[in-house]
PDB file of all heavy atoms in Angstrom:
ATOM      1  N   VAL A  78      36.404 -49.426 -24.358  1.00  0.00           N
ATOM      2  CA  VAL A  78      37.626 -48.749 -24.794  1.00  0.00           C
ATOM      3  C   VAL A  78      38.817 -49.694 -24.707  1.00  0.00           C
ATOM      4  O   VAL A  78      39.647 -49.755 -25.614  1.00  0.00           O
ATOM      5  CB  VAL A  78      37.885 -47.487 -23.948  1.00  0.00           C
ATOM      6  CG1 VAL A  78      39.212 -46.850 -24.324  1.00  0.00           C
ATOM      7  CG2 VAL A  78      36.751 -46.482 -24.132  1.00  0.00           C
ATOM      8  N   ASP A  79      38.888 -50.450 -23.617  1.00  0.00           N
ATOM      9  CA  ASP A  79      40.015 -51.366 -23.449  1.00  0.00           C
ATOM     10  C   ASP A  79      40.042 -52.414 -24.557  1.00  0.00           C
ATOM     11  O   ASP A  79      41.110 -52.755 -25.072  1.00  0.00           O
ATOM     12  CB  ASP A  79      39.936 -52.039 -22.079  1.00  0.00           C
ATOM     13  CG  ASP A  79      41.196 -52.792 -21.735  1.00  0.00           C
ATOM     14  OD1 ASP A  79      42.262 -52.152 -21.660  1.00  0.00           O
ATOM     15  OD2 ASP A  79      41.145 -54.023 -21.554  1.00  0.00           O
ATOM     16  N   SER A  80      38.874 -52.918 -24.919  1.00  0.00           N
ATOM     17  CA  SER A  80      38.819 -53.948 -25.957  1.00  0.00           C
ATOM     18  C   SER A  80      39.102 -53.381 -27.344  1.00  0.00           C
ATOM     19  O   SER A  80      39.491 -54.118 -28.253  1.00  0.00           O
ATOM     20  CB  SER A  80      37.445 -54.634 -25.952  1.00  0.00           C
ATOM     21  OG  SER A  80      36.421 -53.702 -26.274  1.00  0.00           O
ATOM     22  N   SER A  81      38.904 -52.074 -27.519  1.00  0.00           N
ATOM     23  CA  SER A  81      39.116 -51.468 -28.836  1.00  0.00           C
ATOM     24  C   SER A  81      40.551 -50.981 -29.039  1.00  0.00           C
ATOM     25  O   SER A  81      40.918 -50.579 -30.146  1.00  0.00           O
ATOM     26  CB  SER A  81      38.147 -50.297 -29.047  1.00  0.00           C
ATOM     27  OG  SER A  81      38.377 -49.260 -28.113  1.00  0.00           O
ATOM     28  N   LEU A  82      41.361 -51.002 -27.976  1.00  0.00           N
ATOM     29  CA  LEU A  82      42.760 -50.605 -28.116  1.00  0.00           C
ATOM     30  C   LEU A  82      43.496 -51.591 -29.025  1.00  0.00           C
ATOM     31  O   LEU A  82      43.294 -52.802 -28.946  1.00  0.00           O
ATOM     32  CB  LEU A  82      43.450 -50.564 -26.749  1.00  0.00           C
ATOM     33  CG  LEU A  82      43.045 -49.456 -25.780  1.00  0.00           C
ATOM     34  CD1 LEU A  82      43.691 -49.687 -24.414  1.00  0.00           C
ATOM     35  CD2 LEU A  82      43.436 -48.085 -26.318  1.00  0.00           C
ATOM     36  N   GLN A  83      44.352 -51.053 -29.868  1.00  0.00           N
ATOM     37  CA  GLN A  83      45.194 -51.912 -30.694  1.00  0.00           C
ATOM     38  C   GLN A  83      46.421 -52.296 -29.884  1.00  0.00           C
ATOM     39  O   GLN A  83      46.959 -51.493 -29.138  1.00  0.00           O
ATOM     40  CB  GLN A  83      45.607 -51.170 -31.961  1.00  0.00           C
ATOM     41  CG  GLN A  83      44.420 -50.639 -32.771  1.00  0.00           C
ATOM     42  CD  GLN A  83      44.876 -49.687 -33.853  1.00  0.00           C
ATOM     43  OE1 GLN A  83      45.516 -50.100 -34.817  1.00  0.00           O
ATOM     44  NE2 GLN A  83      44.547 -48.415 -33.697  1.00  0.00           N
ATOM     45  N   ARG A  84      46.875 -53.532 -30.033  1.00  0.00           N
ATOM     46  CA  ARG A  84      47.976 -54.018 -29.205  1.00  0.00           C
ATOM     47  C   ARG A  84      49.068 -54.668 -30.044  1.00  0.00           C
ATOM     48  O   ARG A  84      48.816 -55.174 -31.135  1.00  0.00           O
ATOM     49  CB  ARG A  84      47.453 -54.998 -28.155  1.00  0.00           C
ATOM     50  CG  ARG A  84      46.619 -54.324 -27.063  1.00  0.00           C
ATOM     51  CD  ARG A  84      46.185 -55.309 -25.990  1.00  0.00           C
ATOM     52  NE  ARG A  84      45.691 -54.613 -24.818  1.00  0.00           N
ATOM     53  CZ  ARG A  84      44.456 -54.181 -24.672  1.00  0.00           C
ATOM     54  NH1 ARG A  84      43.581 -54.379 -25.637  1.00  0.00           N
ATOM     55  NH2 ARG A  84      44.080 -53.543 -23.578  1.00  0.00           N
ATOM     56  N   THR A  85      50.278 -54.636 -29.485  1.00  0.00           N
ATOM     57  CA  THR A  85      51.433 -55.252 -30.132  1.00  0.00           C
ATOM     58  C   THR A  85      52.394 -55.729 -29.046  1.00  0.00           C
ATOM     59  O   THR A  85      52.340 -55.260 -27.903  1.00  0.00           O
ATOM     60  CB  THR A  85      52.150 -54.243 -31.062  1.00  0.00           C
ATOM     61  OG1 THR A  85      53.193 -54.910 -31.781  1.00  0.00           O
ATOM     62  CG2 THR A  85      52.757 -53.099 -30.271  1.00  0.00           C
ATOM     63  N   ASP A  86      53.291 -56.650 -29.385  1.00  0.00           N
ATOM     64  CA  ASP A  86      54.245 -57.187 -28.415  1.00  0.00           C
ATOM     65  C   ASP A  86      55.496 -56.313 -28.413  1.00  0.00           C
ATOM     66  O   ASP A  86      56.578 -56.743 -28.826  1.00  0.00           O
ATOM     67  CB  ASP A  86      54.583 -58.637 -28.794  1.00  0.00           C
ATOM     68  CG  ASP A  86      55.319 -59.356 -27.673  1.00  0.00           C
ATOM     69  OD1 ASP A  86      55.264 -58.874 -26.528  1.00  0.00           O
ATOM     70  OD2 ASP A  86      55.943 -60.396 -27.958  1.00  0.00           O
ATOM     71  N   ALA A  87      55.343 -55.083 -27.918  1.00  0.00           N
ATOM     72  CA  ALA A  87      56.446 -54.108 -27.968  1.00  0.00           C
ATOM     73  C   ALA A  87      57.504 -54.367 -26.909  1.00  0.00           C
ATOM     74  O   ALA A  87      58.684 -54.058 -27.118  1.00  0.00           O
ATOM     75  CB  ALA A  87      55.894 -52.693 -27.805  1.00  0.00           C
ATOM     76  N   LEU A  88      57.117 -54.915 -25.767  1.00  0.00           N
ATOM     77  CA  LEU A  88      58.034 -55.049 -24.634  1.00  0.00           C
ATOM     78  C   LEU A  88      58.535 -56.480 -24.467  1.00  0.00           C
ATOM     79  O   LEU A  88      58.772 -56.935 -23.341  1.00  0.00           O
ATOM     80  CB  LEU A  88      57.337 -54.577 -23.353  1.00  0.00           C
ATOM     81  CG  LEU A  88      56.797 -53.140 -23.381  1.00  0.00           C
ATOM     82  CD1 LEU A  88      56.095 -52.805 -22.072  1.00  0.00           C
ATOM     83  CD2 LEU A  88      57.915 -52.143 -23.651  1.00  0.00           C
ATOM     84  N   ALA A  89      58.711 -57.168 -25.571  1.00  0.00           N
ATOM     85  CA  ALA A  89      59.190 -58.551 -25.513  1.00  0.00           C
ATOM     86  C   ALA A  89      60.611 -58.612 -24.960  1.00  0.00           C
ATOM     87  O   ALA A  89      61.423 -57.708 -25.197  1.00  0.00           O
ATOM     88  CB  ALA A  89      59.136 -59.169 -26.913  1.00  0.00           C
ATOM     89  N   ASP A  90      60.900 -59.677 -24.214  1.00  0.00           N
ATOM     90  CA  ASP A  90      62.241 -59.853 -23.660  1.00  0.00           C
ATOM     91  C   ASP A  90      63.249 -60.170 -24.766  1.00  0.00           C
ATOM     92  O   ASP A  90      62.880 -60.647 -25.844  1.00  0.00           O
ATOM     93  CB  ASP A  90      62.245 -60.986 -22.628  1.00  0.00           C
ATOM     94  CG  ASP A  90      61.716 -60.538 -21.276  1.00  0.00           C
ATOM     95  OD1 ASP A  90      61.895 -59.357 -20.936  1.00  0.00           O
ATOM     96  OD2 ASP A  90      61.111 -61.366 -20.568  1.00  0.00           O
ATOM     97  N   TYR A  91      64.518 -59.917 -24.476  1.00  0.00           N
ATOM     98  CA  TYR A  91      65.600 -60.218 -25.406  1.00  0.00           C
ATOM     99  C   TYR A  91      66.857 -60.471 -24.587  1.00  0.00           C
ATOM    100  O   TYR A  91      66.944 -60.064 -23.418  1.00  0.00           O
ATOM    101  CB  TYR A  91      65.802 -59.056 -26.388  1.00  0.00           C
ATOM    102  CG  TYR A  91      66.012 -57.709 -25.726  1.00  0.00           C
ATOM    103  CD1 TYR A  91      67.270 -57.299 -25.288  1.00  0.00           C
ATOM    104  CD2 TYR A  91      64.936 -56.841 -25.521  1.00  0.00           C
ATOM    105  CE1 TYR A  91      67.464 -56.072 -24.672  1.00  0.00           C
ATOM    106  CE2 TYR A  91      65.120 -55.614 -24.897  1.00  0.00           C
ATOM    107  CZ  TYR A  91      66.383 -55.227 -24.483  1.00  0.00           C
ATOM    108  OH  TYR A  91      66.563 -54.019 -23.859  1.00  0.00           O
ATOM    109  N   PRO A  92      67.828 -61.162 -25.129  1.00  0.00           N
ATOM    110  CA  PRO A  92      69.052 -61.466 -24.370  1.00  0.00           C
ATOM    111  C   PRO A  92      69.765 -60.192 -23.911  1.00  0.00           C
ATOM    112  O   PRO A  92      69.927 -59.246 -24.678  1.00  0.00           O
ATOM    113  CB  PRO A  92      69.911 -62.236 -25.391  1.00  0.00           C
ATOM    114  CG  PRO A  92      68.934 -62.791 -26.371  1.00  0.00           C
ATOM    115  CD  PRO A  92      67.839 -61.774 -26.470  1.00  0.00           C
ATOM    116  N   GLY A  93      70.142 -60.172 -22.639  1.00  0.00           N
ATOM    117  CA  GLY A  93      70.873 -59.030 -22.093  1.00  0.00           C
ATOM    118  C   GLY A  93      70.009 -57.820 -21.812  1.00  0.00           C
ATOM    119  O   GLY A  93      70.531 -56.698 -21.681  1.00  0.00           O
ATOM    120  N   ARG A  94      68.700 -58.004 -21.704  1.00  0.00           N
ATOM    121  CA  ARG A  94      67.814 -56.865 -21.466  1.00  0.00           C
ATOM    122  C   ARG A  94      68.108 -56.207 -20.112  1.00  0.00           C
ATOM    123  O   ARG A  94      68.473 -56.869 -19.143  1.00  0.00           O
ATOM    124  CB  ARG A  94      66.349 -57.313 -21.507  1.00  0.00           C
ATOM    125  CG  ARG A  94      65.370 -56.141 -21.449  1.00  0.00           C
ATOM    126  CD  ARG A  94      63.930 -56.595 -21.522  1.00  0.00           C
ATOM    127  NE  ARG A  94      63.043 -55.448 -21.565  1.00  0.00           N
ATOM    128  CZ  ARG A  94      61.709 -55.520 -21.470  1.00  0.00           C
ATOM    129  NH1 ARG A  94      61.128 -56.708 -21.330  1.00  0.00           N
ATOM    130  NH2 ARG A  94      60.993 -54.419 -21.513  1.00  0.00           N
ATOM    131  N   VAL A  95      67.932 -54.914 -20.053  1.00  0.00           N
ATOM    132  CA  VAL A  95      68.115 -54.147 -18.815  1.00  0.00           C
ATOM    133  C   VAL A  95      67.203 -54.711 -17.728  1.00  0.00           C
ATOM    134  O   VAL A  95      66.033 -55.026 -17.979  1.00  0.00           O
ATOM    135  CB  VAL A  95      67.786 -52.657 -19.059  1.00  0.00           C
ATOM    136  CG1 VAL A  95      67.890 -51.864 -17.772  1.00  0.00           C
ATOM    137  CG2 VAL A  95      68.699 -52.077 -20.118  1.00  0.00           C
ATOM    138  N   GLU A  96      67.758 -54.857 -16.520  1.00  0.00           N
ATOM    139  CA  GLU A  96      66.948 -55.319 -15.399  1.00  0.00           C
ATOM    140  C   GLU A  96      65.864 -54.293 -15.079  1.00  0.00           C
ATOM    141  O   GLU A  96      65.981 -53.110 -15.415  1.00  0.00           O
ATOM    142  CB  GLU A  96      67.830 -55.545 -14.166  1.00  0.00           C
ATOM    143  CG  GLU A  96      68.830 -56.678 -14.321  1.00  0.00           C
ATOM    144  CD  GLU A  96      68.167 -58.038 -14.441  1.00  0.00           C
ATOM    145  OE1 GLU A  96      67.083 -58.214 -13.832  1.00  0.00           O
ATOM    146  OE2 GLU A  96      68.711 -58.918 -15.129  1.00  0.00           O
ATOM    147  N   ASP A  97      64.830 -54.765 -14.402  1.00  0.00           N
ATOM    148  CA  ASP A  97      63.716 -53.876 -14.037  1.00  0.00           C
ATOM    149  C   ASP A  97      64.232 -52.715 -13.199  1.00  0.00           C
ATOM    150  O   ASP A  97      65.021 -52.907 -12.271  1.00  0.00           O
ATOM    151  CB  ASP A  97      62.659 -54.667 -13.265  1.00  0.00           C
ATOM    152  CG  ASP A  97      61.368 -53.879 -13.124  1.00  0.00           C
ATOM    153  OD1 ASP A  97      61.150 -52.950 -13.915  1.00  0.00           O
ATOM    154  OD2 ASP A  97      60.574 -54.195 -12.216  1.00  0.00           O
ATOM    155  N   THR A  98      63.800 -51.522 -13.537  1.00  0.00           N
ATOM    156  CA  THR A  98      64.206 -50.325 -12.800  1.00  0.00           C
ATOM    157  C   THR A  98      63.004 -49.766 -12.045  1.00  0.00           C
ATOM    158  O   THR A  98      61.855 -49.912 -12.496  1.00  0.00           O
ATOM    159  CB  THR A  98      64.770 -49.256 -13.763  1.00  0.00           C
ATOM    160  OG1 THR A  98      63.832 -49.025 -14.823  1.00  0.00           O
ATOM    161  CG2 THR A  98      66.088 -49.718 -14.360  1.00  0.00           C
TER     162      THR A  98
END
Side-chain angles (χ1 to χ4, degrees):
V78 175
D79 191 61
S80 63
S81 63
L82 290 172
Q83 304 169 69
R84 290 183 166 85
T85 186
D86 193 18
L88 303 178
D90 280 329
Y91 54 84
R94 188 179 184 188
V95 177
E96 294 294 328
D97 192 21
T98 52

